[in-house]
Amino acid sequence: MKSFINEFKEFISRGNVMDMAVGIIIGGAFTAIVTSLVEDIITPIIGMIGGFDFSSFVVTVNNSNIAIGKFINAVINFLLIAFVLFSVIKAMNKAAAIVKKPEEEAAPTTKMCPYCKSEIAIEATRCPHCTSQLDA
């Protein structure tokens, strides 16, 4: 039982688990912001322009109401939320690309053998494939 508890402690204390927890919490808060933006600002503007409100559209089958309009509104809200998230993430990526410093290119670790054209270590003095002596 102690090994199970120790294993669980090790799992919880890993950095990626904590990063995931923080991401989920921030994602929940961000969802509330985006949902409010879509439902309270964008949807009413679209309603003013096009007059779209499907929530009252109901189909009755065998004395059962099927609220197709609410489903259509949910799909429209999903698409609007997806579009807003796409726009926000695209803007954040663009801003990050502007701020990000260009990384230095890593020094090459391999070279091509001039005789057999095989890839070999940069420090090699003899090709392991064709055994040719390489120039220094």
Side-chain angles (χ1 to χ4, degrees), residues 37-55:
L37 173 68
V38 169
E39 290 178 356
D40 300 332
I41 297 173
I42 295 175
T43 302
I45 291 172
I46 291 174
M48 286 187 302
I49 295 170
F52 299 116
D53 184 21
F54 298 104
S55 61

Side-chain angles (χ1 to χ4, degrees), residues 66-67 76 102:
I66 301 173
I76 291 170

Side-chain angles (χ1 to χ4, degrees), residues 18 20 27 38 49 52 58 80 110 116-117 123 127 132-133:
M18 298 306 284
M20 183 181 67
V38 169
I49 295 170
F52 299 116
V58 177
L80 289 173
T110 60
C116 69
K117 305 298 183 199
E123 297 90 18
C127 178
S132 298
Q133 183 70 33

